[in-house]
């Protein structure tokens, strides 16, 4: 397909596609004349991923390029490629190490990982962006005096473990090749996080109605 058709099918302006080409977020098309190139379904799928990363995930172009590099690195096994790609997604702030609440939070998170048997997560420690974000969140609970011990966090972790099974089941159903699976996992991580947040708040409202609501 020509650039105009790629633009129509992707829903992206031709100028945006040209920008992604210049920034090496999209592979060059097959040159057919001095001024024209031809694009295929791979370009269309890549544009969907780039759009999810930049427009939905609010990811800087340079970071998006790192994600795509991890996705395409065939020297990595599937688990490592998936982890490298997801780790490059935007994360929260890093823990403040001189905050006493951080030390308490780190201890409870480590205890939680041991209780769950999540050895790899424990080994990753501060190298994992998600680990750091979790420590920051738990530290906030510590400072405000809300329940935040490992036993308090465990139900959330078990629910997250079940969600992870659902996530990867969807990735395997949605994609047919290892490369597509990594791409789908990155895109779905970005796209489904607001879905999960919204569903949690709706579920809270429903549970509150059952517990505390009155007729009429």
């Amino acid at each position: 397909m020509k650039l105009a058709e790629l633009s129509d099918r992707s829903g992206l302006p031709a100028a945006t596609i040209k920008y992604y080409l210049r920034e090496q977020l999209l592979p060059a098309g097959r040159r057919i004349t001095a001024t024209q190139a031809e694009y295929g379904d791979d370009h269309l799928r890549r544009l969907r991923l780039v759009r999810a990363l930049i427009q939905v995930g609010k990811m800087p172009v340079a970071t998006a390029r790192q994600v795509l590099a991890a996705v395409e690195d065939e020297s990595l096994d599937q688990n490592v490629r998936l982890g490298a790609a997801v780790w490059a997604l935007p994360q929260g702030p890093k823990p403040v190490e001189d905050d006493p609440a951080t030390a308490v939070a780190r201890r409870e998170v480590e205890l939680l990982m041991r209780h769950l048997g999540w050895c790899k997560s424990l080994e990753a420690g501060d190298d994992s962006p998600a680990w750091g974000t979790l420590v920051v969140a738990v530290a906030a609970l510590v400072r405000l005096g809300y329940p935040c011990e490992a036993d308090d966090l465990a139900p959330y972790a078990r629910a997250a473990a079940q969600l992870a099974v659902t996530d990867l089941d969807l990735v395997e159903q949605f994609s047919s090749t290892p490369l597509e699976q990594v791409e789908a996992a990155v895109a779905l991580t970005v796209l489904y996080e607001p879905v999960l947040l919204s569903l949690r708040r709706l579920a809270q409202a429903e549970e509150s109605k059952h517990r505390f609501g009155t007729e009429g």
Side-chain angles (χ1 to χ4, degrees):
M1 71 186 88
K2 302 292 178 55
L3 181 63
E5 183 180 353
L6 183 62
S7 175
D8 288 340
R9 292 182 61 184
S10 67
L12 290 170
T16 300
I17 296 175
K18 290 179 180 178
Y19 172 69
Y20 290 163
L21 286 165
R22 289 196 302 271
E23 292 296 325
Q24 299 179 337
L25 299 175
L26 184 69
R30 184 176 65 87
R31 184 65 59 184
I32 53 177
T33 71
T35 59
Q36 287 188 325
E38 188 174 62
Y39 303 92
D41 290 339
D42 288 347
H43 291 89
L44 189 60
R45 188 180 69 248
R46 174 55 59 85
L47 280 175
R48 287 197 296 265
L49 174 58
V50 172
R51 188 176 190 177
L53 297 176
I54 293 178
Q55 296 185 9
V56 179
K58 309 301 182 185
M59 184 180 297
V61 167
T63 305
R65 193 181 299 113
Q66 293 174 5
V67 170
L68 295 172
V71 168
E72 293 180 330
D73 188 349
E74 296 183 358
S75 69
L76 303 176
D77 68 28
Q78 191 71 348
N79 176 59
V80 174
R81 292 166 74 190
L82 176 60
V86 173
W87 279 23
L89 294 173
Q91 304 288 339
K94 295 182 179 180
V96 179
E97 295 305 331
D98 60 356
D99 184 351
T102 296
V104 176
R106 193 181 302 282
R107 184 177 66 247
E108 294 302 328
V109 170
E110 290 176 356
L111 184 59
L112 175 66
M113 296 298 108
R114 291 191 178 92
H115 283 174
L116 295 170
W118 291 4
C119 298
K120 290 298 182 182
S121 297
L122 186 60
E123 291 170 8
D126 294 335
D127 291 334
S128 166
W131 174 283
T133 301
L134 178 58
V135 170
V136 169
V138 175
L141 292 169
V142 171
R143 286 191 293 271
L144 295 173
Y146 285 102
C148 58
E149 294 183 357
D151 288 344
D152 301 311
L153 302 173
Y156 294 94
R158 287 192 290 269
Q162 185 55 54
L163 283 172
V165 173
T166 303
D167 285 341
L168 294 182
D169 284 347
L170 182 59
V171 166
E172 289 187 325
Q173 293 169 13
F174 183 77
S175 312
S176 58
T177 68
L179 181 58
E180 288 176 342
Q181 287 177 4
V182 177
E183 291 177 348
V186 173
L188 292 173
T189 296
V190 173
L191 294 169
Y192 263 78
E193 284 185 346
V195 172
L196 294 174
L197 175 60
S198 300
L199 287 173
R200 183 189 182 209
R201 291 180 179 176
L202 289 169
Q204 286 175 338
E206 192 68 16
E207 181 64 19
S208 177
K209 181 178 69 175
H210 291 313
R211 292 193 185 202
F212 309 123
T214 59
E215 292 187 11

